[in-house]
Structure formats: C-alpha cells, structure tokens
Amino acid sequence: MPPRASTDAAPGSLQAESAAEEYHPDPKRWSALSVTLVVGFMSLLDVSIVSVALPSLQRDLGATPATVQWVVSGYALTFGLMLVPAGRLGDAFGRRRLFLLGLAGFVLSSAAAGAAPSVAWLIAARLVQGLAAGCLAPQNSALIQQLFRGGERGRAFGLFGATVGISTAVGPVVGGAILGLADGADGWRWLFYVNVPIGVVAFALALRLLPRGGGGGRGRIDVVGVLLLGAGALAVLFPLVQAESGGLAQLWWLFGAGAALLVAFVSWERRVVAHDGQPVFDPRLVTQTRGYGIGAALGTVYFVGFSGIWLVLALFFQTGLGYTPLQSGLAVTPFALGSASAAVVAGRLVERYGRRLTVLGLSGVVLGLAAAAVVLLLVPPSAAGWAIAPALLVGGIGGGFVISPNITMTLRDVPVSMAGSAGGGLQTAQRFGAAIGTAALPGLFYLVLSATGDDYPAAAAAGLAVSVLGAVAALVLGVVDLRRNRAEDAAAAADDEADGVHGHAHAWHH
C-alpha cells in the first residue's frame, strides 16, 4: 500500500497545513492539464533539440565550437537557475499568472532566436528562453498538485512523467526531422520558429482554462535567499555547462565557492523560517515532508545517467557509425516509446503500489542499460542500431516506472501552498544531475576513445556503464525509502490496533 500522511501532525507543521487544505475539483482540470503538458513538452524539448543543429549553426553564423555550444548550455543554465525562484513566485502571486508570463516570454524569445542575425544575438535569445522555460516548469507540477487529488493526481503525474521522459529522449529525433524538412542554409531557424504557433495557441487556451488564484497569498519574496541560491547554483552549474570548452579544468574552484554559497543559503532559509518569514525554499520540505528529501536525491542521481547517455549514444551513432541526426535519434526511439508508455501506466498504479514501482522500474533500467552495453561490445558495429533496440526498450519501460512515480511520491505530502517551490526544488535537483551527466559522460566517452585508439563501442559501453551505476545508486535510495515506509506504516498500524484494543477494554470495563 502507498504511504499515508501522518494523522498526528503537530499544529503549524507542514503535514498539518497539507491536511487542512480543502479541495474542490475543477471541471476543466483535465483540459488545463493538456495545455500545460504541451507547453512543458515544448520547453523541455528545447534542452536537447538544438544539439543536432550545432554544426550548421556554427557554419552559418561563423561561430567557434566553444561559442556555439552556449546555444545549448546557456539555455540549460538559465533554465536551472530560474526553477526555485519561479516556483516561489507562483506560490506567492498565482501560478496562472506566472505560467502565462513564462509562456509569453518563451514564444517571443523563440521568435528572436529564429531571427538571430549573429551568434551573440542567438545566445542572448536562448538565455532569455531558458529563463522563460524555468518560469513554466515549476508551475506545471504545482498546477497538478492544485488541481488533482488521490488517484487522479497519480494519473496526472503519470502523464507529466511521460512528457518529461519522452521530451528528453526524442529531442534529437524531432530536431533531425525538422532539419530534414527545412533543408537549406537557414534550416536550423525552424527549430525555434516551430515554437511560435504552438505557443500562441497554447497561450489562448491557457488564458481560458487555467484556474485563477492558486497562489498562497504571500506576496513577499526572500531576496537574500534568491541571491544566495542563484549565486550558489550558478557557481556549481557554470563549470559543468562549460565542460566541453575546458570549464572543468579551468573553473574547478567554483565548485567549492558554490558549495559554500549553498550552505549559506540553507542557513539563511532556516533563519527566515525561525523568524516566521517567507523563504524562497522552505527547509522543512526536506526535514518534515515525508519522502521529499530522498525523492529529490533519487531524482538527482537518476538524471546523471538518464540525461548524459543520450549524448553518448548520439556521439557513438553519428561520429562512430556515420548515422545522420535523424537516424541516430531513431536508434534510441525504443527507449522513448517504452518510457512514455510505462509512465502512463505507472501513473494509474502509483496510488496502489507506491515506492515499489520506482524500485521495479530502476531494476529494469539497470538490466536494460547493462544489456545495451554488452550488446555494443559483442555485436558488429554495422548491426548495433538494430541489436541495441530490445535492451533500450527494456530500459525505457523501466524508466517510465521511475520518473512519474518518483515525482508523485516526492510531492504527495507537500502543502499545495508550497507546491511551486517544492516542484521547482525537485526539478532543480534533477537539473543538477542532468548537468553532471551531460558533462561527465561525454568526457568519459572521449577519454576511453583516446585510450583505446578510437574503439567506439568500448567508449559507448563505458558511458552506459556509468549510467548503470547512477541507476544502481538511485535503486539503493528507493529500497531505503521503501523499507522506511513499510516500517512507518507497520508502526502506525500497531498504534491503531493498540488504540482499538484500549477502546474495547474501556467500553467493557464500564
């Protein structure tokens, strides 16, 4: 059975606040969810869709490899920096308002990126686009918290998890298809222009369907907390997004500075809570909310391998085997299809099976990715694209049972008034994992390639092995949480039974 909220929450605690919140189903909730999922898919797709166009971008705009890399990494950087502050702003001033603001910014910056006359203009537009996407992402999960309860919330998060999984996996496929259709010198511009009509239609629908209000009514923003968190996250993420141009070797010292700033951030937030202030991220989400801390940690280590492996496989298929971007994307489509299908099913099962789904899914990911590594080492490279498909399908099905159930289990006991900042915190943790993975796994790929005399299968297998280790680490966290939930549920059941026996004895005595 899934873990249940504590029935003896202390007054003033987050559990008590969550239990006290009233729920009135919105008749338009499923239509509203459809709009937010389309927008979420579009914004997450833009993390990876541009990577296939970097060679043509570099050629058409006369940019250096290090400069054009910022078209991808700049978006990822500002996206990650904006998540927690935007979640808090949504909680304070209304999620509908922040969603519409972020969507308008995303559409306008997409148009600006498509029309960019220079690489500097394009990078600036992508930085703004990342900020806008960072405004959108936490509102997606917060609106699910606000609009749904019980089994419906699990199904909604299942669809959200499918959106996250498939958008990450199919970015190269969609990018390759658009470049194939928009053939020519400026074909890459349509990677950005395609967002404009979709975004305009989504804005009109969101204006009509998204519920008004939904913020916590707390209009004050913790400026010091925002600055400390932003500076700390920037110091940690910047060397990672610059990894391909030597950022890790040159900027390693920023990791220490970032850690110090993040420690200062936690200390400041505790002080704000102690003085009955309004923190940008309430530390009690980690210390008092059942499942939140370990769920965020699980998501972080899982995304290290989940995000980085797509770059490794793209390098293997395109550089090693000479695949086109579209062929390379199609080769990993089994994982995306398995993940999307399983995520929808998992959303319907999470209320019944809880954390067991995550443990089962992570076991499938470990099995699938390990099998894929073995296949690459054993089969001839010419057959790799077909031979790896069954293993990727197994890994994808497992992955579908990881992301959406973990989101549901992590956020299920979060008060709706904090849903934005909690969702932003969870997604920030995932962005940190993704940044580490996208920096470390391609680096390892090139290292093995150099050490083995251009043995591409061995280099790809090494990247897959690291992804397996990330999934194993997440599996350990999932097992720990599952065991803890069972122990807590058993203790609660024993207390209920003891109370019942005491009540019967008291009645008999009288």
Side-chain angles (χ1 to χ4, degrees), residues 13 234 248 335 345 348 371 379 474 506:
S13 69
L234 178 62
L248 292 176
F335 191 103
V345 175
R348 296 179 177 275
V379 304
H506 184 73

Side-chain angles (χ1 to χ4, degrees), residues 28-172:
K28 298 183 290 187
R29 60 192 181 278
W30 289 105
S31 298
L33 175 67
S34 299
V35 175
T36 63
L37 291 181
V38 169
V39 173
F41 180 84
M42 185 172 61
S43 62
L44 289 169
L45 191 70
D46 265 47
V47 176
S48 59
I49 192 175
V50 184
S51 59
V52 298
L54 292 185
S56 57
L57 276 170
Q58 184 180 342
R59 181 183 62 252
D60 293 346
L61 297 177
T64 64
T67 302
V68 80
Q69 182 61 34
W70 266 95
V71 176
V72 176
S73 59
Y75 180 90
L77 180 64
T78 52
F79 186 112
L81 291 177
M82 195 63 188
L83 288 168
V84 173
R88 174 69 188 102
L89 287 168
D91 291 339
F93 298 111
R95 292 156 195 139
R96 178 179 183 271
R97 184 178 302 169
L98 260 291
F99 186 90
L100 292 172
L101 179 64
L103 182 53
F106 189 83
V107 170
L108 291 173
S109 56
S110 294
S118 66
V119 71
W121 179 291
L122 179 57
I123 291 171
R126 285 286 283 175
L127 291 172
V128 175
Q129 194 184 28
L131 289 173
C135 281
L136 291 167
Q139 314 316 323
N140 279 334
S141 58
L143 283 166
I144 291 175
Q145 292 281 94
Q146 177 182 330
L147 290 170
F148 299 95
R149 293 290 189 279
E152 281 195 344
R153 181 182 287 180
R155 291 194 293 275
F157 272 128
L159 293 171
F160 180 65
T163 301
V164 173
I166 198 168
S167 63
T168 304
V170 305

Side-chain angles (χ1 to χ4, degrees), residues 356-366 394-395 397-402 475:
R356 281 178 286 180
L357 282 183
T358 316
V359 171
L360 176 65
L362 286 166
S363 300
V365 172
V366 171
V394 171
I397 293 172
F401 283 96
V402 175
L475 179 59

Side-chain angles (χ1 to χ4, degrees), residues 235-236 238-240 242-243 246-259:
V236 173
F238 190 72
L240 294 171
Q242 284 287 88
L248 292 176
Q250 299 170 10
L251 302 171
W252 57 267
W253 55 272
L254 281 175
F255 290 123

Side-chain angles (χ1 to χ4, degrees), residues 174-457:
V174 176
I178 291 174
L179 288 177
L181 292 172
D183 193 20
D186 289 330
W188 59 267
R189 297 183 185 275
W190 287 98
L191 297 175
F192 307 110
Y193 283 145
V194 73
N195 293 330
V196 177
I198 298 172
V200 169
V201 173
F203 187 92
L205 291 173
L207 201 61
R208 185 168 66 90
L209 295 172
L210 294 190
R212 295 183 180 275
R218 310 174 186 178
R220 295 172 57 190
I221 297 299
D222 174 18
V223 177
V224 175
V226 169
L227 293 175
L228 285 172
L229 176 61
L234 178 62
V236 173
L237 288 173
F238 190 72
L240 294 171
V241 301
Q242 284 287 88
E244 290 193 24
S245 56
L248 292 176
Q250 299 170 10
L251 302 171
W252 57 267
W253 55 272
L254 281 175
F255 290 123
L261 286 165
L262 292 176
V263 169
F265 166 72
V266 173
S267 178
W268 173 262
E269 296 299 271
R270 286 176 173 170
R271 180 185 175 191
V272 171
V273 171
H275 289 81
D276 295 324
Q278 298 165 18
V280 65
F281 181 83
D282 197 322
R284 293 175 298 174
L285 286 169
V286 176
T287 59
Q288 291 188 13
T289 306
R290 185 177 185 180
Y292 185 85
I294 200 163
L298 189 154
T300 301
V301 294
Y302 178 70
F303 267 76
V304 170
F306 177 71
S307 300
I309 197 57
W310 308 118
L311 287 173
V312 168
L313 290 175
L315 289 169
F316 170 70
F317 285 120
Q318 293 183 45
T319 309
L321 303 186
Y323 282 23
T324 66
L326 180 57
Q327 290 171 330
S328 173
L330 290 173
V332 298
T333 298
F335 191 103
L337 293 177
S339 180
S341 303
V344 175
V345 175
R348 296 179 177 275
L349 299 177
V350 67
E351 280 296 310
R352 180 176 180 181
Y353 295 106
R355 183 58 78 187
R356 281 178 286 180
L357 282 183
T358 316
V359 171
L360 176 65
L362 286 166
S363 300
V365 172
V366 171
L367 177 64
L369 294 184
V374 173
V375 167
L376 290 183
L377 290 173
L378 295 181
V379 304
S382 59
W386 295 103
I388 201 176
L392 290 180
L393 180 62
V394 171
I397 293 172
F401 283 96
V402 175
I403 295 178
S404 62
N406 187 58
I407 293 172
T408 304
M409 299 297 294
T410 304
L411 299 179
R412 66 183 302 151
D413 291 329
V414 170
V416 173
S417 61
M418 293 183 178
S421 55
L426 173 60
Q427 293 185 63
T428 299
Q430 293 174 349
R431 288 299 105 202
F432 272 110
I436 294 169
T438 53
L441 268 67
L444 175 65
F445 178 87
Y446 284 120
L447 183 64
V448 175
L449 204 62
S450 175
T452 58
D454 291 344
D455 187 341
Y456 281 92

